[in-house]
Amino acid sequence: MTADRTDRTDRTDRTDLADLTAFASGIFDAQPFSKFLGAELTGVGPDSAEIRITVRPDLQQQHGFVHGGVLSYLADNTLTFAGGLALGGDALTAEYKINYARPALGETVIARARAVVTTRRQAVCQCTVHVVSAEGEEKLVAVAQGTIVAARGKED
């Protein structure tokens, strides 16, 4: 996330969903790589986020499945959004792990993350990644967990 760091006390001032959505959308819109992939931020909460991508041929690997790198991007960015919102501002991924459960074959990929534990400096977040068929059926394709930290200056 790339916004000015906000103190945790300011987070309570952003509990209104419209304000939270505007805050998160501003950060998301400033991410060139997300735009390149065609990702959409489709949901936010005080400690949660949802990002989705419509599947295109250029996002698939040689077997026709969504490339693992696309699933990994979705998990990483959604974890960071959930953690950043829980921490109240600018955040970075300190680490994360992803487990691929099955090949992603479908029309849309959706990642949903939430902060499970938040302290003053970090949030431990969990994320599920689902593929959605043309009929609207969701299947779990990956699970991720990560540690998100409050960002400091670029020199740190």
Side-chain angles (χ1 to χ4, degrees):
M1 298 179 66
T2 57
D4 291 334
R5 170 123 169 91
T6 305
D7 289 337
R8 227 171 139 64
T9 53
D10 291 346
R11 187 181 115 203
T12 58
D13 297 338
R14 272 202 316 272
T15 55
D16 179 69
L17 189 56
D19 290 345
L20 195 62
T21 300
F23 173 73
S25 293
I27 293 168
F28 193 81
D29 291 344
Q31 296 181 339
F33 190 64
S34 293
K35 288 179 185 178
F36 174 75
L37 290 176
E40 298 175 73
L41 179 66
T42 52
V44 296
D47 62 355
S48 64
E50 178 182 284
I51 299 174
R52 64 179 60 205
I53 292 179
T54 300
V55 177
R56 311 182 310 261
D58 61 325
L59 300 179
Q60 297 171 328
Q61 43 86 296
Q62 71 275 15
H63 300 291
F65 305 129
V66 178
H67 193 282
V70 175
L71 302 178
S72 183
Y73 151 80
L74 273 172
D76 178 23
N77 206 19
T78 310
L79 286 165
T80 305
F81 262 89
L85 291 167
L87 291 167
D90 198 9
L92 300 166
T93 303
E95 63 81 29
Y96 84 103
K97 176 192 187 320
I98 188 165
N99 292 94
Y100 299 104
R102 66 170 46 97
L105 186 59
E107 304 291 313
T108 306
V109 184
I110 303 172
R112 296 181 184 106
R114 67 181 180 87
V116 179
V117 177
T118 304
T119 68
R120 198 168 53 96
R121 295 185 189 160
Q122 70 179 26
V124 176
C125 301
Q126 294 177 336
C127 179
T128 57
V129 183
H130 305 261
V131 68
V132 183
S133 70
E135 296 78 30
E137 180 186 359
E138 285 191 22
K139 286 188 180 178
L140 182 68
V141 295
V143 177
Q145 179 169 304
T147 304
I148 310 306
V149 296
R152 298 186 186 167
K154 290 183 180 180
E155 66 282 349
D156 288 344

